[in-house]
Amino acid sequence: MRKKLVVGNWKMNGDLARNAALLEGVCAASGQDVEIVVCPPFPYLAQAHERLVQSGVLLGAQNVAAFADGAFTGETSAAMLKDLGCSWVIVGHSERRALFGESNEVVASKLHRVTEAGLCPILCVGETLEQRESGRAEEVVASQLAGGLADMGSSRCVLAYEPVWAIGTGRTATPVQAQGMHEFIRECVRRRGLDGESVRILYGGSVNPANAAELFACPDIDGALVGGASLEANGFLAICAAAAAS
């Protein structure tokens, strides 16, 4: 049985005071039968680590450099993230791909650095609305998976399906759409000779307390990568509770 996982991606939000209150609320979910990860912005990793270190809630980062170290101004290496207490790293989020031009090759390099450092990657894949409507959703997702699955040998590694058209828009893939793509992703994992039954696949894309339970009831959805709803403690706790109950 794959244990449910809920990851809160705060994106570029927060300040010291707001973070402190939010972290207190998140820690209240630590006793539930669900694995919980919080990914604050880089400047607040130390603050989050100090509060979470004995809580049972794990710390993650939203991004990582494609390089081990060196003269790369403004970058943060996987080793640095590990030193700050991170155990998880989001790689290949659609906003990184679309806004910062990260190619499948760059994403694969970042994923390699994460696994090399002994951290657990959350590899994000997903199609745009135009790609879905033109019937190319599976082709796009398979292409995004291809470069990364070579480093996904551990069951601790996680995949996250985020339809780009549902991120921050209030639109959500129907349970049938989400389950269909998750089932396809799991089959892609098997085709690569990996253990498709142990790899967890999260759904991301406007997950909220109202739709979480229905999504988590799908057999191939193993949790959620939560954006906006992770910035409000009660809503995030409700999503965690839905995961624990599923």
Side-chain angles (χ1 to χ4, degrees), residues 2-5 123 125 145 157-162 178 181-189 196 198-204 216 218-225:
R2 298 181 298 270
K3 188 172 184 176
K4 287 291 195 293
L5 169 65
L123 174 61
V125 298
L145 286 169
C157 298
V158 165
L159 300 171
Y161 169 59
E162 292 196 309
M181 186 59 80
H182 278 241
E183 185 177 13
F184 171 75
I185 291 170
R186 200 172 299 284
E187 181 57 30
C188 287
V189 173
S198 65
V199 173
R200 288 182 288 183
I201 308 172
L202 311 182
Y203 174 76
F216 294 153
C218 297
D220 286 298
I221 296 180
D222 302 314
L225 179 56

Side-chain angles (χ1 to χ4, degrees), residues 115-189:
T115 56
E116 183 180 55
L119 302 175
C120 302
I122 302 168
L123 174 61
C124 300
V125 298
E127 80 285 358
T128 65
L129 183 60
E130 184 276 327
Q131 289 165 339
R132 171 165 281 273
E133 291 182 340
S134 65
R136 298 193 298 119
E138 290 187 353
E139 173 191 342
V140 170
V141 168
S143 174
Q144 293 172 343
L145 286 169
L149 285 177
D151 275 316
M152 298 296 287
S154 168
S155 61
R156 288 285 292 166
C157 298
V158 165
L159 300 171
Y161 169 59
E162 292 196 309
V164 178
W165 46 272
I167 298 175
T169 64
R171 299 180 61 175
T172 309
T174 67
V176 171
Q177 289 173 321
Q179 166 58 24
M181 186 59 80
H182 278 241
E183 185 177 13
F184 171 75
I185 291 170
R186 200 172 299 284
E187 181 57 30
C188 287
V189 173

